[in-house]
Amino acid sequence: MQLTGAEIVIACLKEQKVDTVFGYPGGTILNIYDALYKHKEIRHILTSHEQGAAHAADGYARATGRVGVCMATSGPGATNLVTGIATAYMDSVPMVAITANVNLPLLGKDTFQEVDIAGVTMPITKHGYIVKDVTILADTIRKAFRIARSGRPGPVLVDITKDVTAAVCEYEPKVPEEIPSPDKFTEEDIETALKLIRRAERPYIYLGGGAIISDACEEVREFAKKIDAPVCDTLMGKGGFDGKDEMYTGMIGMHGTKTSNLGVSTCDLLIALGARFSDRVVGNSKKFASKAKVLHIDIDAAEINKNIKTEASIVGDLKNILTILNKNIDQMSHPDWHSHILELKERFPLKYEDEQLSCPYIIEEIDRLTEGKAIITTDVGQHQMWAAQYYKYTQPRSFLSSGGLGTMGYGLGACIGAKTGRPDKVCVNIAGDGCFRMNMNELATASRYQIPIIQVVMNNHVLGMVRQWQTLFYEQRYSQTILEDKVDFCKVSEGLGCKAIRITKKEEVESAIREALDTDGPVVIECVIPKDDKVFPMVSPGAAISEVFDGDDLKEKEN
């Protein structure tokens, strides 16, 4: 059949079973939006800003496991996607960003709203295309989806000149190709890993986001039980292992639990599952897990020995690898090691000052009232760490946060995307007041479509995490981190079409959350909390994770 380039774009989206697109129209992409108008099978969410569209596509992808799609016009529309694309790239999120550019004869001539967006995004995409010929458009879009989903997932950009969207050519529908297996391991790799596991007396599992991406959570649980090993996780690994399980010890790293940090520092075998040994986990790399041999299992060969030297590695899909390992491991038992870890958990529980309203208390109440079944999105900072620590994630794809890039303003768009993809789930975005200012205009998107999300704003009137660092390492020089101004978040939220609730004391928390849960539409809960609450435990920059400290340690040091 003969179709225009714009109609081919929509036809290819339908081929890929895309049901939702997030975007913002403009001059060069008008042909595609005109074609979209005729195809009601694909829902389009008009965001308030292109960055919100990218974050929404990201949240949709993380919550559903499917490819998220966003669209924008040329020039500033395309560049406004960049932060969202980089966020998805750092956290291995499958996303296809479709942009349109000026007509082919006008490329490279500083034409109105012309930007080489493929060049701009080259370092932050798995691949980027600029389509200048309508006859290759369909196959290019198909390749983009295949690349986004295959191996280690990530974002792909497809930039299409406007004249290509208007040109006509023959279109032949195709069924999406199966994704080939990424496994690159040998029997010898498996045998080496099995020998290390069988010889270990103090094994520890370090779980990353790869476990969730590969849908390997059941295999992880079986593996942990079989080798009788405690499990810690990264920010991206939340929900990959039941947060209420006795063998779970909490997050590892800069704001990890003392149990996880001390346990990993004394184990004799550290098994990294779909994790990349980021600096926020490792701390001082020369002292990280210094008593352990490291077994690294990951889909990306480039991650092996990149940050931490390994004893052995297996490259491939985690689900496939764990299935093989589980079949070849007899039940193991490490009672002394297990007892030691349980003793650490009893000695060093997470705790906070509970005399007044605080972020940890609010998060625990959200956990209780949602029965631990909500999808939690966050922005970046103290509230992000508290959300990771105090909500007990028991299911994968229930914690969505910008881990690698650390994007302030990520959470609200992601929450809209998550709720759009998973309407059966309660979706709550937890943000600090500094982060909320970044993209709070997306409340207008939520109210326009009556998307029933809950936006919780932890308002301490400061940039909390930066202030914490200024307090601990900069002699309390609070340079540009105080937000004591006249912004009224409740009035802003109501002005953008949302219900708004302000709470200032603990007694108001439960009723506010229940009211939000019972509301068929977006609700903002502003929580006024103390400005000097701190996230503990903590590891100082450059220190070993075994040097983790908390508020009690600081008080002892002062005395």
Side-chain angles (χ1 to χ4, degrees), residues 101-379:
N101 216 320
V102 299
N103 289 331
L104 182 57
L106 299 176
L107 284 178
K109 297 184 178 179
D110 294 332
T111 305
F112 177 68
Q113 291 194 333
E114 179 201 355
V115 164
D116 177 13
I117 192 63
V120 168
T121 58
M122 186 179 294
I124 55 168
T125 52
K126 282 189 74 177
H127 201 79
Y129 297 96
I130 177 164
V131 183
K132 304 175 182 178
D133 180 354
V134 71
T135 63
I136 65 170
L137 176 58
D139 283 341
T140 300
I141 293 174
R142 291 165 184 149
K143 287 177 186 176
F145 276 85
R146 187 164 65 249
I147 292 169
R149 291 187 294 133
S150 63
R152 181 178 182 172
V156 179
L157 178 97
V158 181
D159 191 36
I160 311 165
T161 61
K162 185 173 183 179
D163 45 1
V164 166
T165 68
V168 176
C169 78
E170 188 69 20
Y171 167 76
E172 181 183 345
K174 289 186 179 180
V175 176
E177 295 179 19
E178 291 292 321
I179 301 298
S181 171
D183 295 338
K184 298 178 182 178
F185 57 86
T186 64
E187 288 186 16
E188 184 180 355
D189 293 333
I190 296 292
E191 282 304 314
T192 301
L194 288 170
K195 286 178 184 177
L196 285 172
I197 293 166
R198 288 167 182 153
R199 291 172 182 170
E201 296 180 356
R202 302 185 307 278
Y204 218 116
I205 294 172
Y206 152 47
L207 190 67
I212 294 167
I213 294 169
S214 67
D215 192 27
C217 301
E218 282 301 312
E219 289 75 15
V220 169
R221 183 196 60 79
E222 181 182 350
F223 181 67
K225 300 296 181 184
K226 272 203 163 186
I227 71 172
D228 194 29
V231 179
C232 64
D233 58 17
T234 66
L235 202 63
M236 293 294 95
K238 288 288 165 192
F241 191 79
D242 186 347
K244 295 181 180 178
D245 193 287
E246 182 185 56
M247 300 177 77
Y248 176 70
T249 62
M251 194 163 61
I252 182 177
M254 179 171 281
H255 291 291
T257 63
K258 280 192 172 184
T259 301
S260 293
N261 285 0
L262 296 175
V264 165
S265 299
T266 55
C267 72
D268 64 359
L269 177 65
L270 181 63
I271 306 170
L273 303 180
R276 61 186 180 87
F277 295 96
S278 89
D279 61 297
R280 283 298 194 264
V281 164
V282 168
N284 187 325
S285 60
K286 294 179 181 179
K287 298 180 180 180
F288 179 75
S290 57
K291 298 179 181 179
K293 294 179 178 179
V294 176
L295 169 60
H296 192 180
I297 303 175
D298 202 273
I299 202 166
D300 188 354
E303 290 297 338
I304 308 300
N305 295 313
K306 185 175 84 174
N307 296 327
I308 293 293
K309 184 71 175 173
T310 62
E311 183 75 17
S313 61
I314 308 176
V315 176
D317 182 80
L318 185 60
K319 188 180 184 76
N320 296 341
I321 293 167
L322 288 180
T323 298
I324 295 169
L325 292 178
N326 287 337
K327 287 180 179 177
N328 289 279
I329 296 173
D330 294 325
Q331 183 61 51
M332 303 176 73
S333 179
H334 306 287
D336 292 342
W337 177 234
H338 194 53
S339 296
H340 173 67
I341 295 299
L342 288 177
E343 181 187 346
L344 288 177
K345 287 178 71 172
E346 291 174 3
R347 284 176 57 197
F348 302 119
L350 288 171
K351 58 184 179 179
Y352 59 90
E353 298 291 337
D354 60 357
E355 289 81 13
Q356 56 189 338
L357 183 64
S358 66
C359 187
Y361 174 79
I362 296 163
I363 290 168
E364 285 184 332
E365 283 294 279
I366 294 171
D367 187 6
R368 180 177 70 86
L369 295 169
T370 60
E371 299 178 341
K373 297 177 181 178
I375 292 177
I376 303 295
T377 66
T378 78
D379 279 291

